[in-house]
Amino acid sequence: MADHDPADNLPAGYEPPKVWNAETESGGQFAGINRPTAGARYDRDLPVGDHPFQLYSLATPNGQKAAIMFEELLEAGHAEAEYDAWLINIMDGDQFSSGFVEVNPNSKIPALLDRSGREPVRVFESGSILLHLAEKFGAFLPASGPQRTETLNWLMWQMGAGPFLGGGFGHFYAYAPIKIEYAIDRFAMEVKRQLDLLDSVLADRRFIAGEDFSIADMAIYPWYGGVMKSAYDAQEFLQVKEYANLQRYAEEVGNRPAVRRGEMVNNIRGPAERQLHERHDARDFDLNTQDKMEARGGERVVP
């Protein structure tokens, strides 16, 4: 390791101890829910609806992937893909209930309980959910051949690249309690490289893996389309207008009807008419968005 002056560290004089103190306060917007241990923190069963698939989620970029997949399946005519979507508010610690931990021991959204077979199957990690549903319904992923491999290439790329954008750049640029120039510059460099990569790939492709919309797009759009539009309020900082092909892609994918619906599911932020806290029926999008529920005093209409 190169020599350095501890006085230049942040905070000044800081040196990593031989053993990390588990009681250290991490600070930032998510400090209240972060702990160095896994497992349930309290007992509570998860709700279960009438449909074959039970989705437990929040409309973060990772959560949007699963809801978009379900809505795209239904849009494509797969009626057996009907699902219930239950809100998991991560700021309230819903992901640490015993019921949720049974479905996802990692306590991260989204989590899926597939009850379409003889025995319930838990599916966690957003990429795994996309792959599971694509293979179950034979949709949005070629069955074999080079195009299947190319689609999986980009799905796995997003799963590996996303943390640099979210937990790296997004955290230090938008959520950390202090602004650390080194950290912001380090992750901004990587995000710019990722944006340039996607922009170059999309120069001669309609979608990420080729000419057909796929689970690769469902994984990549919520993260990188979000950066194009509003995520972290960093559009000027990252100069996203430089990436014309990615801008075109984000607009096209964002205007797909199923994508627009998927972005609404378990959404608790932004315009009330774009929030559907729970989804149990396709008619919920017309009847039970948050603006309509607030006008009724919080009452949900059962379609």
Side-chain angles (χ1 to χ4, degrees):
M1 183 180 295
D3 292 337
H4 67 282
D5 185 346
D8 294 332
N9 291 349
L10 190 63
Y14 170 76
E15 284 285 292
K18 290 183 178 180
V19 177
W20 180 69
N21 179 7
E23 302 302 320
T24 297
E25 173 58 60
S26 62
Q29 183 172 337
F30 302 99
I33 61 174
N34 289 333
R35 294 182 187 176
T37 55
R41 300 181 187 175
Y42 60 94
D43 290 330
R44 188 173 72 194
D45 293 334
L46 288 176
V48 178
D50 296 330
H51 295 306
F53 299 96
Q54 302 296 303
L55 178 64
Y56 304 97
S57 191
L58 180 69
T60 66
N62 282 335
Q64 288 174 355
K65 297 176 192 177
I68 288 171
M69 178 60 165
F70 276 115
E71 292 300 326
E72 286 283 355
L73 286 168
L74 293 168
E75 183 87 3
H78 297 279
E80 62 273 29
E82 268 296 348
Y83 70 108
D84 294 282
W86 304 93
L87 177 65
I88 300 296
N89 191 327
I90 62 174
M91 299 308 294
D92 291 343
D94 292 346
Q95 70 275 32
F96 301 114
S97 73
S98 57
F100 189 88
V101 172
E102 286 180 8
V103 181
N104 184 358
N106 194 39
S107 293
K108 303 289 184 182
I109 58 93
L112 174 67
L113 190 62
D114 178 352
R115 305 190 306 158
S116 63
R118 296 183 63 181
E119 296 291 336
V121 176
R122 72 179 188 184
V123 193
F124 58 90
E125 291 297 320
S126 58
S128 182
I129 292 173
L130 292 176
L131 184 56
H132 176 81
L133 294 173
E135 292 185 330
K136 178 176 279 290
F137 290 99
F140 304 111
L141 174 66
S144 62
Q147 197 57 41
R148 175 186 174 87
T149 301
E150 181 70 355
T151 302
L152 293 178
N153 286 342
W154 286 105
L155 175 64
M156 301 306 167
W157 175 85
Q158 190 283 315
M159 298 298 291
F164 287 96
L165 174 54
F169 175 77
H171 176 78
F172 287 106
Y173 185 82
Y175 302 134
I178 57 175
K179 302 301 182 187
I180 304 173
E181 182 180 9
Y182 173 81
I184 292 173
D185 287 348
R186 165 68 180 87
F187 288 107
M189 178 75 75
E190 174 61 14
V191 170
K192 291 282 286 183
R193 189 192 69 81
Q194 292 178 5
L195 296 177
D196 187 66
L197 169 64
L198 293 173
D199 192 67
S200 64
V201 168
L202 289 164
D204 55 9
R205 292 181 179 183
R206 182 181 178 187
F207 298 111
I208 291 294
E211 296 307 302
D212 295 323
F213 186 73
S214 72
I215 58 173
D217 301 291
M218 298 180 203
I220 288 172
Y221 166 77
W223 281 102
Y224 296 91
V227 169
M228 292 296 102
K229 295 187 291 185
S230 61
Y232 311 125
D233 293 326
Q235 288 64 46
E236 183 178 5
F237 180 79
L238 294 172
Q239 290 294 280
V240 298
K241 291 182 179 180
E242 296 177 355
Y243 308 106
N245 301 314
L246 188 52
Q247 290 275 8
R248 182 271 307 163
Y249 167 85
E251 182 175 358
E252 178 176 357
V253 174
N255 284 329
R256 292 174 69 92
V259 170
R260 288 185 58 80
R261 292 196 302 272
E263 290 177 317
M264 295 171 63
V265 174
N266 301 140
N267 184 16
I268 60 173
R269 301 179 63 183
E273 64 270 18
R274 294 286 297 161
Q275 296 182 30
L276 185 62
H277 291 190
E278 292 184 8
R279 187 270 190 213
H280 304 289
D281 187 280
R283 290 167 290 182
D284 283 333
F285 292 100
D286 296 321
L287 299 174
N288 290 312
T289 52
Q290 194 62 14
D291 59 326
K292 293 183 175 66
M293 288 189 63
E294 289 174 358
R296 296 192 299 264
E299 178 185 359
R300 180 179 182 274
V301 174
V302 179

